[in-house]
Amino acid sequence: MANKRRLGRFSINPIGLGCMSLSQAYGPQPDEAASERLLHRALDLGCDFLDTAAIYGEGHNETLVGRTLKARRSEFTLASKCGFRVTADNPRVVDGSPAAIAETLDASLRRLGLDHIDLYYLHRPDPRTPIEESVGALARAVEAGKIGAIGLSEVSADQLRRAHAAHPITALQTEYSLWTRNPEIAVLDVCRELGVTFVAFSPVARGFLAGAFETPRMLGRDDIRFAMPRFQGDDVVRNQALYGPYKAIAEEIGCTPAQLALAWLLHRDPALVTIPGTHQIAHLEENMAANEVSLSPDHMAALDTLVNQETVSGGRYNAAQQATVTTEQFA
């Protein structure tokens, strides 16, 4: 069993489970029964940190997690998120207003079949609502016993400081992997300073570091990578050239490429936790076994030299997606 890491008052396996892909994002929605089996298998393997959100599958994901694991609620720490509002013409309007947060939280609790969520994130910072007001609404939810702790997602270091001054922040979630180093600009340092747990999502680079693009492939419009520059045109061709040498390092160590990506993160920062997502049990089992992979300083140096913000081609988000986040960017 992996050494546990701290998430506020919780002690959790450093490899959790991002549940989004059980409802949306990477092609057709998986079979419901298969998703239920995967969730149970995750707990059986010692995965005790599950991450969902109100917006995933427009509520489907929370309903799935709540229904499937109701009888095993004591076995895991649960995180969900607010901060998006669905309208008639836009399913993802950023809204961090106190009224929207309160409404979304109550709906999340109903779907989950719970009266309390362990960790509740603001999914995106709202440019129309000061971060202090959004956090104030979440603080009132803590006082009411509806949530145990407050998290933030995709915010800047300055916003984290301001939020933490308004109410203690337990976790900050942002994409982090060998090929997305943005948190290294400022956010990771501020998390360490304030005692905030950093939660890395998309740790295997949305499948790229697991071999999903080892050979060319076409993406459908129901796959969120369809709109991401790194997976398109000349950018994906240049990035594919990195994969062969990367895979060779994994073979030298004796692990899979996905395990190598996760092990790099766990060695990079002894306090962070990560939430790889999958809808396949074989991949889940592979990911959880990454806890056992040991990397030498030479391996870490080789990986850092091979895959980094200067060798990866293309932005992680397109212009519309990037406009919803404030995490610092490399020039």
Side-chain angles (χ1 to χ4, degrees):
M1 183 64 66
N3 291 327
K4 300 279 186 163
R5 296 189 180 185
R6 298 301 304 176
L7 180 77
R9 65 183 178 86
F10 304 103
S11 179
I12 60 172
N13 191 313
I15 299 178
L17 177 65
C19 298
M20 179 179 70
S21 63
L22 300 180
S23 299
Q24 65 170 70
Y26 296 104
Q29 183 177 318
D31 173 75
E32 198 90 349
S35 295
E36 292 172 358
R37 288 192 296 271
L38 182 137
L39 288 169
H40 281 291
R41 182 60 177 151
L43 299 192
D44 293 342
L45 290 168
C47 179
D48 55 7
F49 180 42
L50 272 57
D51 179 278
T52 182
I55 199 68
Y56 295 164
E58 297 183 19
H60 170 269
N61 204 250
E62 289 180 323
T63 301
L64 171 69
V65 171
R67 182 190 70 241
T68 303
L69 300 179
K70 182 177 181 179
R72 304 182 69 176
R73 180 65 189 90
S74 64
E75 297 180 41
F76 62 96
T77 298
L78 176 66
S80 193
K81 310 179 197 71
C82 62
F84 283 109
R85 175 169 46 85
V86 177
T87 67
D89 55 354
N90 189 339
R92 284 177 174 257
V93 177
V94 175
D95 190 344
S97 66
I101 287 173
E103 180 181 351
T104 302
L105 173 56
D106 286 344
S108 289
L109 291 167
R110 287 194 299 272
R111 285 189 292 265
L112 288 161
L114 300 171
D115 58 10
H116 177 87
I117 298 170
D118 299 318
L119 172 65
Y120 206 56
Y121 292 94
L122 181 68
H123 209 152
R124 291 290 188 274
D126 182 353
R128 296 172 300 279
T129 304
I131 195 79
E132 293 85 353
E133 291 186 19
S134 298
V135 169
L138 292 168
R140 289 189 288 276
V142 172
E143 293 167 3
K146 293 183 177 182
I147 64 175
I150 299 172
L152 302 174
S153 178
E154 295 277 37
V155 303
S156 68
D158 176 67
Q159 286 174 317
L160 173 57
R161 287 187 187 279
R162 288 166 48 200
H164 194 74
H167 185 280
I169 301 300
T170 292
L172 184 143
Q173 180 182 123
T174 296
E175 182 175 355
Y176 188 32
S177 69
L178 272 163
W179 87 339
T180 297
R181 304 294 191 94
N182 305 66
E184 296 177 359
I185 300 172
V187 164
L188 277 169
D189 286 339
V190 176
C191 283
R192 295 185 190 107
E193 175 190 334
L194 300 178
V196 175
T197 299
F198 184 88
V199 180
F201 72 75
S202 296
V204 297
R206 303 185 187 276
F208 184 89
L209 294 176
F213 292 82
E214 185 171 11
T215 57
R217 58 181 291 190
M218 296 292 292
L219 295 172
R221 291 184 177 274
D222 57 356
D223 190 311
I224 59 173
R225 295 169 295 190
F226 181 87
M228 294 178 173
R230 290 181 180 178
F231 298 96
Q232 301 300 320
D234 292 339
D235 287 326
V236 73
V237 173
R238 285 190 285 267
N239 291 333
Q240 282 172 328
L242 300 172
Y243 186 74
Y246 170 79
K247 183 180 179 181
I249 295 175
E251 290 173 345
E252 175 187 328
I253 293 168
C255 65
T256 69
Q259 290 169 343
L260 181 59
L262 293 167
W264 176 86
L265 270 174
L266 299 182
H267 284 68
R268 186 77 168 180
D269 188 320
L272 66 70
V273 298
T274 184
I275 47 170
T278 183
H279 54 79
Q280 297 184 38
I281 287 179
H283 289 169
L284 169 70
E285 294 171 341
E286 176 186 357
N287 290 344
M288 296 304 295
N291 276 313
E292 308 306 320
V293 176
S294 179
L295 302 181
S296 70
D298 287 345
H299 291 140
M300 293 292 288
L303 289 167
D304 284 330
T305 299
L306 178 64
V307 186
N308 59 61
Q309 70 274 9
E310 295 179 357
T311 63
V312 172
S313 183
R316 71 181 180 113
Y317 286 144
N318 63 26
Q321 294 165 329
Q322 186 62 45
T324 69
V325 306
T326 53
T327 308
E328 290 80 1
Q329 298 184 77
F330 288 99

